[in-house]
Each structure stands twice: as structure tokens, then as C-alpha cells.
Amino acid sequence: MQSGIPTNSMANWQHRVHPLEVYRRLVSHFGVLYGPDAHQPWWPIISSNPQLEIVIGAVLVQQTRWETVEGAIERLYQAGLIDLHALAQATVADVAELIYPCAFYRQKAAGLIALARAIGERYGDVATMLRRPTAMLRRELLTLPRIGPETADVIMLYAGDHPLFVVDAYTRRIFARLAPDEIAWERASYHQVQHIIAAALPSDPQLLADFHAQLNELAVRYCLSRPRCDGPPARRVYSRQPGRNSFLDRHDGCPLRSMCAWYQGHRQLS
């Protein structure tokens, strides 16, 4: 994927930091994290129903670390609940017990059951839902339980290959440090942040999915609340997959240091 990063849109970019250059540097550091070229998939799938599993994971990961979600999904799978009909018929108490200690696990349990029922009643199954046109599907997803703009875009991108750039707290933090004078990244609307970055990116769902994965990896390794710009990376276990964290032996620091306004400013002050 790295060799195929397009450059034609870079000449038209009007801002200081180009998202494609950010992406190129991240891929050079971490390797491809999502798609057929990834050494280990950034979003591991354990069931035979990947689209529903992604929907469930997108809800559970709200304000929760992925390693906690991974365990919850494993327990749901063992209980036979990565199944739309079974999940729709489950009790809140049973689902809540399985997804604990995810944040707001009781509310998420009720939301997942309501979501499964709504999908079944409206569409019949997840695959049919995801075949809806992008703009129409996004509007419809936002009416379903436990789904806001970020969760809707995650579901559409990773489960349905809709070409959408996902904005999360990590995205805002990273771009606020890279280019703090562009916009008020932390306070701007979801749509505003999405638009300014997506305008510079190709409409390629695989690249968009990998870029989101790369930004998340950067945020949990280097661009933490207290940055680790010069390394070494934080050794958080983001996924239990063997070989998933092979880049942790690198000690060359954050791959975005040379283009990061925050780093350059603090370096001059030190």
C-alpha cells in the first residue's frame, strides 16, 4: 500500500501539514496495519460474522480501551451472541455480564440488544443494511441506538467499505499538535474536522481504514496525553495477537517529530 500512496492531491493542499504525508510517515514507521498487506490485522475478527462483530465492537469501544473490548467480544462469541437473532433475544443482564468491564456496560448491553432488534426489523441482516447508499445509510445509522457520527463512520468504513474518514479524540489530539493554528481541532465540529482532512485524501476505503488505524497506533504509542516524542514507545498491549507489536523494539521516536509544531516549539524552549 505504501508505494501506491497517491500524490496528485498534495499540490492543491493549502495547509501546513498534508494528511497524505502524515500517512506516509506513519506507514513507514508502523508498517501497514489494515488490509491484505498487514502483517497482523489491526481489527482482529474471531467470528464467522465479521460485519456484526464490527458493529458490536464499534459500540463497545466507546470510551473503552480496545484490549477490554477484545475480551468482551470473545465472551460474546463463546456465548453465541455474535448472531443478530440471538443478540436481539438476549437479556440485558446476560449481555451486561459478558461485556463487563467495558464503560457503561449496562447501557451498552441494552443498546446492543435494541440495535440488533432495529437492524433485524429494518433490514433483515447487517449485510443488507451496509449495502445502502452511503449518505442514506449514514442518516439511518444515526437514528439507531448507541450510534453517533464516529460510531456510524467506523461501522460504514470497516464493515461496509464506505469511503469515510473517521474522526476520534486521537485524531483531534494529533492534528492539534501537528498544526495547532489551522483550526480549533479540539472544539471544532466532527464534520469540520472530517472535511478538512478528508478533502486531502483519496476516496479509498482501504487507505482511509489504515490511516485511522495508524493515527490510533501513534496516539497510544507516542502521542499520549503526555507525549513520548523521543521515545521509546509506550508498551501498551493494544491487541493480544502474536506478532502484533513487533515495532515496539524501535527507539527512533515519533515518526512525525520533524513536522510537528508542538514538538518543534517545546524543543526550542528546552
Side-chain angles (χ1 to χ4, degrees), residues 59-81:
V59 171
L60 293 181
V61 80
Q62 296 166 4
Q63 301 184 43
T64 302
R65 286 190 168 199
W66 177 257
E67 49 267 44
T68 301
V69 173
E70 200 170 84
I73 289 175
E74 176 68 33
R75 292 189 292 276
L76 289 169
Y77 174 62
Q78 294 297 332
L81 293 181

Side-chain angles (χ1 to χ4, degrees), residues 133-140 156 162:
T134 299
M136 184 181 299
L137 175 58
R138 195 173 192 275
R139 288 195 299 269
E140 294 172 357
M156 294 177 69
H162 291 264

Side-chain angles (χ1 to χ4, degrees), residues 237-257:
V237 179
Y238 195 55
S239 175
R240 295 175 295 172
Q241 301 172 80
R244 173 67 176 73
N245 301 307
S246 59
F247 53 79
L248 288 181
D249 290 332
R250 297 187 62 153
H251 294 280
D252 46 353
C254 173
L256 303 184
R257 286 181 300 175

Side-chain angles (χ1 to χ4, degrees), residues 78-221:
Q78 294 297 332
L81 293 181
I82 310 295
D83 175 275
L84 196 66
H85 178 74
L87 182 58
Q89 299 300 315
T91 68
V92 172
D94 286 345
V95 175
E97 182 178 358
L98 293 167
I99 67 174
Y100 178 83
C102 294
F104 308 110
Y105 62 97
R106 291 189 181 89
Q107 296 95 318
K108 287 179 181 177
L112 285 173
I113 294 168
L115 181 58
R117 291 173 180 171
I119 292 173
E121 291 168 1
R122 291 190 191 184
Y123 308 101
D125 55 47
V126 177
T128 300
M129 177 185 77
L130 292 169
R131 286 195 292 268
R132 304 280 281 175
T134 299
M136 184 181 299
L137 175 58
R138 195 173 192 275
R139 288 195 299 269
E140 294 172 357
L141 281 174
L142 290 173
T143 69
L144 295 177
R146 303 298 307 182
I147 295 183
E150 179 187 337
T151 303
D153 290 346
V154 167
I155 290 169
M156 294 177 69
L157 176 62
Y158 285 98
D161 287 330
H162 291 264
L164 294 166
F165 179 77
V166 175
V167 174
D168 60 10
Y170 292 155
T171 307
R172 293 175 184 271
R173 178 197 300 168
I174 291 166
F175 278 90
R177 289 173 178 170
L178 288 173
D181 297 329
E182 298 289 355
I183 63 170
W185 296 98
E186 303 287 355
R187 299 192 304 275
S189 70
Y190 183 95
H191 176 74
Q192 186 179 6
V193 175
Q194 184 181 54
H195 177 74
I196 196 172
I197 297 174
L201 300 172
S203 184
D204 176 352
Q206 185 173 312
L207 184 147
L208 293 169
D210 190 49
F211 194 11
H212 178 66
Q214 299 284 342
L215 291 170
N216 274 248
E217 203 68 58
L218 183 78
V220 301
R221 302 303 182 187

